[in-house]
């Protein structure tokens, strides 16, 4: 199966929501394209004296609900359409979470793993300088995404403050604590996935205690989702990363998996159970599957072989529209990305508010707020789905999209844009 263009996927989802809401075609037209995409050329001098050029983008999808908000990813396969799709998903994620933000996303087409720290810093500074005209505390607020972290955010912040000559802490979120970030931001996406999954497990599986879980992807989202799900009573039986994975029905300790990944580069070196591939992990006989790696891993090719009863989308866009049709027919509950992985951006909002107030919220308070919001949002989506949709035809994604798109629609109407 050829991977589809993520933008086509995002548009198909929007199309569905617009149709389900009974809106006219013009609503689709307005939202199918971003407000603006900026492409930048990032040229840096490498350590060996050669000169390399990378392409980067910042897509600003919609700002009806507030300033654009969303992460920046560094990945060798990033395309402009992918960044646009991701910015559209941020519009829905922020809307569904009830945050005063529109949707944005950035990306640089680079493999950061082969850059030296100096090259990575230069690239980060150059990229941010190039987009500095269109970002700002009240305009567009970047954050971490795939392969970017608090250190990269520090360079972004510093570069912006250098160019703009000020101390604008709220221009990026996901910063280190020393620069106005929250420790809780690091755990927040994975923690949110765990909380949302727990609510769904209580509703659909009679509880989370003892339920088996497979986690695809062992980065920031996958690891913390595994850690918190285990703490909440679930049993992690499989983990994987881009280089392979391990399945052990006896259970896997998330900390041990992290240690092995840190020391050898991959969780696949865990000396227990059986080795599996990154794709095989999706088809294991587990109660809960957490895809927390990249887009389009659950497709119409493998959807039928999936045995999990709940799929909790830690990644953005892991399930294609065609796959979801099959899953709905099988009665699999999919907690959509814009719901399940919203913990990161919710915590970003807490960080941003904190920066603007110049105050000190504690990590404990921040996590409590995040937990409340994740529980509330998950219940809202499930209730909307039960009340307004047909479980044999509609996914929770349909419900989540309808809520999210309707809010953006109303904001655009109130502003007089449409
Ligand atoms: N990159 C994360 C996401 O996809 C977080 C974005 C943010 O905190 O702004 O939701």
């Amino acid at each position: 199966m050829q991977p589809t263009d993520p933008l086509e996927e995002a548009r198909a989802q929007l199309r569905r929501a617009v149709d389900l809401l009974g809106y006219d075609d013009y609503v689709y037209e307005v939202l199918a394209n971003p407000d603006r995409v900026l492409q930048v050329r990032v040229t840096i001098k490498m350590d060996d004296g050669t000169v390399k050029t990378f392409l980067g983008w910042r897509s600003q999808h919609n700002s009806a609900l507030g300033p654009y908000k969303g992460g920046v990813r560094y990945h060798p396969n990033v395309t402009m359409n992918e960044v646009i799709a991701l910015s559209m998903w941020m519009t829905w994620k922020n809307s569904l979470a009830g945050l005063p933000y529109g949707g944005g996303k950035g990306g640089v087409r680079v493999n950061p793993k082969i850059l030296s720290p100096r090259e990575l810093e230069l690239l980060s500074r150059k990229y941010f300088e190039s987009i500095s005209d269109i970002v700002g505390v009240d305009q567009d607020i970047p954050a971490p995404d795939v392969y970017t972290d608090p250190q990269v955010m520090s360079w972004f912040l510093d570069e912006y403050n250098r160019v703009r000559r000020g101390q604008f802490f709220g221009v990026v979120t996901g910063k280190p604590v020393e620069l106005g970030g929250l420790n809780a931001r690091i755990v927040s996406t994975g923690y949110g996935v765990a909380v949302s999954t727990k609510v769904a497990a209580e509703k659909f599986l009679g509880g989370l205690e003892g339920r088996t879980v497979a986690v695809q992807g062992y980065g920031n989202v996958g690891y913390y989702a595994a850690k918190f799900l285990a703490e909440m009573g679930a049993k992690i039986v499989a983990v994987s990363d881009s280089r392979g994975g391990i399945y052990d029905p006896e259970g896997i300790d998330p900390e041990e998996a992290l240690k092995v990944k840190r020391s050898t580069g991959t969780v696949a070196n865990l000396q227990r159970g059986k080795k599996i591939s990154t794709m095989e992990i999706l088809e294991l006989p587990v109660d809960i599957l957490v895809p927390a790696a990249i887009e389009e891993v659950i497709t119409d090719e493998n959807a039928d072989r999936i045995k999990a009863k709940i799929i909790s989308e830690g990644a953005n866009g892991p399930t294609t529209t065609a796959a979801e049709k099959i899953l709905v027919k099988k009665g699999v509950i999919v907690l959509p990305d814009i719901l399940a992985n919203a913990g990161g951006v919710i915590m970003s909002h807490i960080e941003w508010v904190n920066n603007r107030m110049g105050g000190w919220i504690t990590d404990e308070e921040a996590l409590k707020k995040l937990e409340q919001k994740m529980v509330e949002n998950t219940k809202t989506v499930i209730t909307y789905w039960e009340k307004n949709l047909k479980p044999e035809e509609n996914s929770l994604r349909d419900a989540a999209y309808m809520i999210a798109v309707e809010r953006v629609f109303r904001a655009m109407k109130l502003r007089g844009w449409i």
Side-chain angles (χ1 to χ4, degrees):
M1 216 214 68
Q2 281 293 313
T4 38
D5 177 355
L7 184 54
E8 269 174 41
E9 278 298 326
R11 285 182 176 148
Q13 290 165 344
L14 170 65
R15 174 89 265 166
R16 220 176 135 78
V18 166
D19 290 347
L20 282 165
L21 286 162
Y23 291 160
D24 291 338
D25 223 43
Y26 78 88
V27 180
Y28 172 82
E29 302 282 321
V30 172
L31 294 166
N33 289 292
D35 290 351
R36 163 199 297 141
V37 193
L38 178 63
Q39 176 173 298
V40 296
R41 174 183 53 75
V42 181
T43 299
I44 58 169
K45 280 191 194 142
M46 308 298 279
D47 292 350
D48 65 3
T50 58
V51 173
K52 284 229 165 84
T53 289
F54 305 91
L55 287 185
W57 298 272
R58 182 74 187 170
S59 169
Q60 301 182 327
H61 175 254
N62 184 279
S63 63
L65 289 171
Y68 306 99
K69 179 92 190 82
V72 175
R73 66 171 53 182
Y74 290 171
H75 198 277
N77 303 333
V78 173
T79 63
M80 186 171 80
N81 275 5
E82 181 186 6
V83 175
I84 295 172
L86 287 158
S87 70
M88 195 191 297
W89 285 328
M90 285 312 299
T91 300
W92 315 138
K93 193 185 299 188
N94 294 335
S95 168
L96 182 67
L99 302 176
Y101 291 142
K105 200 79 164 201
V108 180
R109 198 175 168 87
V110 61
N111 180 1
K113 289 183 184 172
I114 57 168
L115 296 184
S116 72
R118 181 196 148 270
E119 291 164 348
L120 190 65
E121 177 175 348
L122 272 183
L123 175 104
S124 301
R125 287 187 182 276
K126 193 75 197 285
Y127 168 73
F128 215 73
E129 183 191 7
S130 308
I131 64 164
S132 65
D133 281 344
I134 65 163
V135 297
V137 179
D138 289 307
Q139 285 169 271
D140 185 355
I141 308 128
D145 198 78
V146 175
Y147 295 143
T148 55
D149 61 10
Q151 174 61 74
V152 172
M153 296 309 115
S154 305
W155 292 322
F156 283 176
L157 174 75
D158 190 63
E159 195 58 27
Y160 186 80
N161 287 345
R162 188 184 67 76
V163 172
R164 295 290 181 103
R165 294 184 174 275
Q167 292 279 12
F168 304 100
F169 283 100
V171 69
V172 287
T173 58
K175 301 179 293 292
V177 179
E178 294 81 351
L179 297 178
L182 295 167
N183 274 320
R185 176 64 182 80
I186 293 288
V187 309
S188 58
T189 311
Y191 181 63
V193 169
V195 172
S196 187
T197 306
K198 182 166 187 253
V199 172
E202 275 160 7
K203 168 90 189 165
F204 300 105
L205 303 178
L208 185 63
E209 193 62 42
R211 298 293 170 189
T212 54
V213 182
V215 180
Q216 185 200 40
Y218 219 65
N220 187 43
V221 182
Y223 161 63
Y224 282 109
K227 173 188 160 78
F228 289 110
L229 281 167
E231 279 177 18
M232 291 171 187
K235 187 172 172 189
I236 312 301
V237 294
V239 292
S240 74
D241 55 36
S242 59
R243 288 152 73 176
I246 291 291
Y247 172 46
D248 184 357
E250 296 297 310
I252 292 170
D253 173 10
E255 303 308 319
E256 195 190 335
L258 183 69
K259 263 195 210 132
V260 171
K261 182 165 172 80
R262 284 216 173 121
S263 57
T264 72
T266 170
V267 292
N269 287 329
L270 204 60
Q271 294 304 318
R272 49 164 67 242
K274 139 174 181 240
K275 278 203 194 310
I276 48 167
S277 76
T278 325
M279 291 307 281
E280 275 163 1
I281 195 168
L282 302 170
E283 301 173 20
L284 294 174
V286 293
D287 298 311
I288 297 163
L289 174 65
V290 181
I294 48 162
E295 292 103 86
E296 296 180 13
V297 289
I298 303 174
T299 64
D300 49 354
E301 195 278 312
N302 61 4
D304 215 27
R305 297 192 299 274
I306 283 177
K307 296 172 194 77
K309 298 173 199 86
I310 294 180
I311 298 177
S312 197
E313 295 187 334
N316 288 315
T319 311
T320 66
T321 307
E324 189 153 82
K325 251 196 200 149
I326 299 169
L327 296 171
V328 167
K329 271 206 200 104
K330 282 170 51 139
V332 178
I333 298 290
V334 180
L335 288 175
D337 46 8
I338 61 166
L339 170 66
N341 74 28
V345 73
I346 293 171
M347 190 58 80
S348 278
H349 177 245
I350 298 173
E351 179 182 333
W352 179 80
V353 169
N354 198 41
N355 290 153
R356 299 181 62 123
M357 295 195 314
W360 294 137
I361 190 169
T362 64
D363 286 321
E364 215 185 349
E365 286 167 329
L367 279 173
K368 194 87 224 131
K369 274 193 192 327
L370 171 62
E371 183 190 355
Q372 279 166 1
K373 223 168 181 14
M374 289 306 299
V375 170
E376 195 183 293
N377 292 348
T378 307
K379 287 188 173 163
T380 302
V381 171
I382 294 174
T383 308
Y384 187 100
W385 177 70
E386 287 180 323
K387 259 199 175 153
N388 304 301
L389 295 166
K390 298 190 192 98
E392 63 289 355
E393 272 173 38
N394 300 109
S395 59
L396 287 178
R397 193 185 318 276
D398 287 337
Y401 264 70
M402 287 171 76
I403 298 169
V405 174
E406 190 187 357
R407 286 181 186 158
V408 174
F409 172 80
R410 288 217 308 265
M412 291 198 298
K413 263 244 169 314
L414 285 165
R415 284 176 186 262
W417 292 356
I418 54 173

